[in-house]
Amino acid sequence: MKIYLDTANLEEIREVARWGILSGVTTNPSLMAQEVGADFEDTIRTIAGLVDGPISAETVSEDADGMVAEGIEYSAWHSNVIIKVPSTPAGLEAVSRLGTMGIRTNVTLIFNANQALMAALAGAFVVSPFVGRVDDMSHDGMELIREISSIFEQNPDIRTGILAASIRHPRHIIESALAGAHIATCPYKVLKKAMQHPLTDRGIASFLADWHAREASMAMQP
Ligand code: E4P
């Protein structure tokens, strides 16, 4: 399973890109709104220069014509730009029309397996089931990933990827991988937490203490 960063913050992207684990980035209007004063086009173009992989840019139109027009505009910014559209009938039409132009799409706000199946049949490049928001409604976000994975596996004509979104904690990353997601898009804070373990910190401290003690004892020898 690949890891994407779910952010429009350039510093976060620069840092995680240096780790060598990043395969793409997803943005959305709410994440853009957190970057006060940042220009959308500049942000997407800059991200595309930092990460060599799909960069999702989300449409804000509510009708298919508007989504298609935004998709044509955003996809011209960089060949790695993927057009994010909502899981609505208009979104499906936009996916289908953009697909005929060779423009890849990410169908977002997926909350049931029917939405994922229809997005795939319309030709989506990836679908984004929101596991955290499903959990928030007292349902099982991972069960949604498992259902979509099983449906896609049983239909070999479907080439659409499953992008687990709304990842809220490190366990969601592991569970997404086990449930069959191809990608998990993660907030920066969740990725940082995923790399933390007290035994790693304690192990480093004890190795360094032993190393320095060894050096000190060698320095004492004649
Ligand atoms: C995915 O592409 C979305 O941008 C994101 O994962 C939504 O996450 P949230 O439910 O934490 O806002």
Side-chain angles (χ1 to χ4, degrees):
M1 186 183 77
K2 293 179 177 169
I3 297 286
Y4 288 9
L5 202 49
D6 194 27
T7 186
N9 183 282
L10 300 177
E11 283 316 307
E12 292 178 355
I13 295 166
R14 280 193 187 97
E15 180 185 335
V16 179
R18 287 197 297 270
W19 300 358
I21 60 143
L22 204 50
S23 297
V25 174
T26 52
T27 66
N28 66 35
S30 303
L31 294 170
M32 270 310 301
Q34 289 171 26
E35 305 309 310
V36 178
D39 178 76
F40 186 37
E41 179 176 346
D42 284 350
T43 301
I44 296 294
R45 283 182 185 274
T46 306
I47 295 171
L50 295 171
V51 179
D52 185 18
I55 315 297
S56 287
E58 187 155 346
T59 58
V60 289
S61 298
E62 292 180 56
D63 64 303
D65 286 347
M67 291 176 203
V68 169
E70 285 184 69
I72 291 169
E73 180 189 349
Y74 304 162
S75 62
W77 295 343
H78 194 282
S79 56
N80 279 344
V81 171
I82 306 298
I83 307 306
K84 211 168 169 190
V85 301
S87 174
T88 59
L92 291 183
E93 181 182 334
V95 167
S96 172
R97 286 168 55 187
L98 289 167
T100 63
M101 299 174 215
I103 297 173
R104 294 178 293 174
T105 48
N106 171 357
V107 177
T108 189
L109 293 164
I110 297 262
F111 293 96
N112 68 51
N114 278 327
Q115 291 177 306
L117 174 60
M118 303 227 198
L121 294 176
F125 177 63
V126 289
V127 290
S128 292
F130 275 39
V131 296
R133 293 194 198 186
V134 172
D135 288 353
D136 289 344
M137 301 299 287
S138 304
H139 291 280
D140 185 350
M142 285 306 150
E143 184 54 27
L144 174 58
I145 302 279
R146 278 189 287 276
E147 280 187 357
I148 297 170
S149 177
S150 173
I151 291 168
F152 284 13
E153 271 175 23
Q154 289 172 51
N155 291 273
D157 288 347
I158 292 178
R159 299 259 187 271
T160 304
I162 302 169
L163 191 165
S166 191
I167 296 288
R168 299 279 174 76
H169 51 72
R171 192 71 209 163
H172 269 161
I173 303 176
I174 296 168
E175 288 172 2
S176 293
L178 292 171
H182 303 100
I183 306 153
T185 189
C186 310
Y188 172 79
K189 278 184 190 164
V190 174
L191 279 186
K192 289 280 275 192
K193 269 192 210 156
M195 280 307 296
Q196 283 168 3
H197 200 290
L199 291 182
T200 303
D201 297 341
R202 215 183 297 166
I204 290 169
S206 110
F207 285 151
L208 289 181
D210 290 345
W211 182 258
H212 293 314
R214 171 184 178 276
E215 283 190 324
S217 81
M218 284 169 73
M220 296 293 287
Q221 286 170 14

